Amino acid sequence: MKISTHLKQTAAILAVIAWSTGTADTLQSHQSIQAAAEEYILENVDAHQETQPTAKAGHLDSRLRLATCDVPLEAFQPNGGRTLGNTTVGVRCTGSKTWTLYVPVKVSLFGSVVTATRPLSKGMVLQAEDLKLVEKDLAQLQASYYTDISQLAGKQVTRRVAMGKAVTSSMVKDRRQVERGQFVSLIAESGGLQVRMKGEALEDGTAGQRIQVRNVSTRRVLDGVVLSASTVQVGM
């Protein structure tokens, strides 16, 4: 009687082991799902930089059990999905046992960006020594970062910038050369002839910007281009 009971228990245990082994063999591995998501995003990432992006799929729930797909896994991205930073990639099986899973993926793309070498205060005019290039994850930055220090030299800071922070276009502006109400020299050229007149700026302006000015003598309002802090070129 005891032997019979022991044999039944042993048979039951062997049956469970056999079922578990067979089930494991027919389950899609989490690693294959993660790899499909990573490969898809790396092939489709919108990388205009000369650096290689990296992708890391998030962990899947250990309780997740999906049947092994009898055809290659198909990956896709939901409408409106981003290709950099934290994103989501869909992975599905279109074989005899269909299923779809959405996998979180972090995509990084490192490149050199211009950062502040010291705290920058509002109103200061940037010099080359205030800036340096540092490797950062571009996926975590705004699209308006700079990659060339010369693009920022001479610009004016619009708000406080912490040391080490990447400088973006919202933090700077072109330095104002001419202020509204300021008296300036108006220069008009035609056929090699140059005429200078006294004028008044009716608008603020930066170098190369078109503003309105008034000829002090004639009171005529003209359009001109700011050449410097004291000169505006106008038409004859």
Side-chain angles (χ1 to χ4, degrees):
M1 184 68 178
K2 291 182 178 179
I3 295 176
S4 177
T5 301
H6 178 71
L7 289 174
K8 288 181 179 180
Q9 291 176 340
T10 301
I13 293 172
L14 291 174
V16 170
I17 294 174
W19 177 85
S20 299
T21 303
T23 302
D25 290 341
T26 58
L27 293 179
Q28 187 74 40
S29 72
H30 288 188
Q31 292 80 4
S32 65
I33 297 172
Q34 292 169 312
E38 292 171 352
E39 290 172 7
Y40 172 85
I41 202 68
L42 289 177
E43 290 175 358
N44 293 275
V45 66
D46 184 18
H48 299 295
Q49 309 295 324
E50 296 180 356
T51 55
Q52 181 66 37
T54 61
K56 179 65 176 176
H59 291 293
L60 303 181
D61 192 325
S62 59
R63 297 168 296 179
L64 181 67
R65 300 164 69 84
L66 298 171
T68 299
C69 193
D70 51 10
V71 297
L73 294 178
E74 180 181 314
F76 63 95
Q77 194 162 33
N79 291 334
R82 55 184 302 188
T83 54
L84 290 176
N86 295 320
T87 188
T88 300
V89 176
V91 179
R92 61 191 167 205
C93 175
T94 57
S96 58
K97 295 182 179 180
T98 62
W99 49 260
T100 300
L101 182 68
Y102 292 92
V103 182
V105 181
K106 181 179 180 180
V107 186
S108 298
L109 179 67
F110 286 87
S112 296
V113 297
V114 181
T115 62
T117 59
R118 60 191 180 92
L120 307 178
S121 57
K122 181 179 179 179
M124 71 179 291
V125 177
L126 292 174
Q127 306 297 326
E129 56 267 26
D130 300 321
L131 309 164
K132 69 176 180 179
L133 290 171
V134 175
E135 288 284 312
K136 285 185 175 291
D137 186 355
L138 306 182
Q140 304 301 318
L141 301 178
Q142 299 180 28
S144 55
Y145 57 81
Y146 293 86
T147 58
D148 186 347
I149 291 177
S150 65
Q151 295 175 307
L152 284 165
K155 288 187 180 291
Q156 194 169 29
V157 180
T158 58
R159 57 187 173 89
R160 187 180 181 282
V161 180
M163 183 174 66
K165 186 81 171 178
V167 181
T168 66
S169 60
S170 64
M171 300 174 181
V172 296
K173 66 178 181 180
D174 289 332
R175 185 182 180 186
R176 187 167 55 195
Q177 297 284 329
V178 172
E179 295 184 355
R180 180 180 179 182
Q182 175 185 335
F183 289 110
V184 294
S185 293
L186 305 181
I187 297 179
E189 296 181 345
S190 179
L193 177 65
Q194 184 181 90
V195 179
R196 285 182 175 267
M197 303 157 282
K198 185 177 182 180
E200 178 188 2
L202 302 181
E203 300 174 285
D204 295 339
T206 60
Q209 185 178 359
R210 183 172 292 276
I211 64 171
Q212 285 195 323
V213 293
R214 179 185 289 117
N215 185 317
V216 173
S217 298
T218 64
R219 309 300 297 172
R220 182 184 174 190
V221 175
L222 305 167
D223 284 331
V225 176
V226 178
L227 298 182
S228 69
S230 60
T231 308
V232 177
Q233 186 172 29
V234 297
M236 291 288 283

